[in-house]
Amino acid sequence: MESQQLAERAARIALEKKAHDICILDLRKLTSAVDWFVICSADSEIQVRAIADHLDATLGKEGQKAWHVEGQEGRRWVLLDYVDVVVHVFYSATREHYALESLWGDAPVVRVDDDAREIA
């Protein structure tokens, strides 16, 4: 699976557990460290864990094993690293605090439409 397809797939999987405010940042022209960030929010620490677990399990079944996972203990920001794609699952208040989108403000952003459950 190409990195863009993996990013889009991760966004759709996050929607299955009611993640919201999902965006995909295209970092290919800004850094050589990663191609894509997928960023999403959850309304509780339990939901953060549920989204992260669902992503890990579903992508794992599809042959995409995370190289590294961080934050499962704290459940306020879980990072799943698939090398070219990094998925960030945030508790809403934590996302506001770290403001990754503004740190990578030059990156093209694709918003994922929660209602239509499609990549917008």
Side-chain angles (χ1 to χ4, degrees):
M1 183 180 302
E2 291 183 26
S3 63
Q4 183 174 357
Q5 292 172 317
L6 178 57
E8 291 172 356
R9 180 70 181 125
R12 288 186 183 101
I13 292 167
L15 279 171
E16 293 173 4
K17 290 294 180 184
K18 309 292 188 214
H20 59 87
D21 196 19
I22 302 170
C23 64
I24 302 171
L25 278 62
D26 182 350
L27 303 174
R28 293 175 292 180
K29 293 183 180 176
L30 301 176
T31 180
S32 60
V34 63
D35 290 347
W36 304 91
F37 273 178
V38 178
I39 304 171
C40 65
S41 295
D43 294 324
S44 69
E45 292 178 7
I46 292 169
Q47 187 184 17
V48 168
R49 178 71 183 246
I51 294 166
D53 287 350
H54 186 56
L55 280 158
D56 193 37
T58 303
L59 288 172
K61 288 178 189 173
E62 296 174 5
Q64 303 294 325
K65 295 283 186 191
W67 177 73
H68 184 73
V69 177
E70 285 185 31
Q72 287 285 34
E73 306 80 33
R75 295 179 288 184
R76 297 187 66 76
W77 177 3
V78 176
L79 179 146
L80 298 104
D81 185 348
Y82 293 92
V83 182
D84 292 331
V85 176
V86 176
V87 181
H88 302 269
V89 183
F90 280 103
Y91 179 64
S92 295
T94 304
R95 181 175 179 176
E96 289 174 25
H97 176 76
Y98 286 100
L100 282 186
E101 292 97 327
S102 64
L103 289 175
W104 294 96
D106 293 340
V109 177
V110 175
R111 298 265 172 216
V112 177
D113 182 3
D114 298 354
D115 295 327
R117 298 197 175 270
E118 295 179 2
I119 306 299

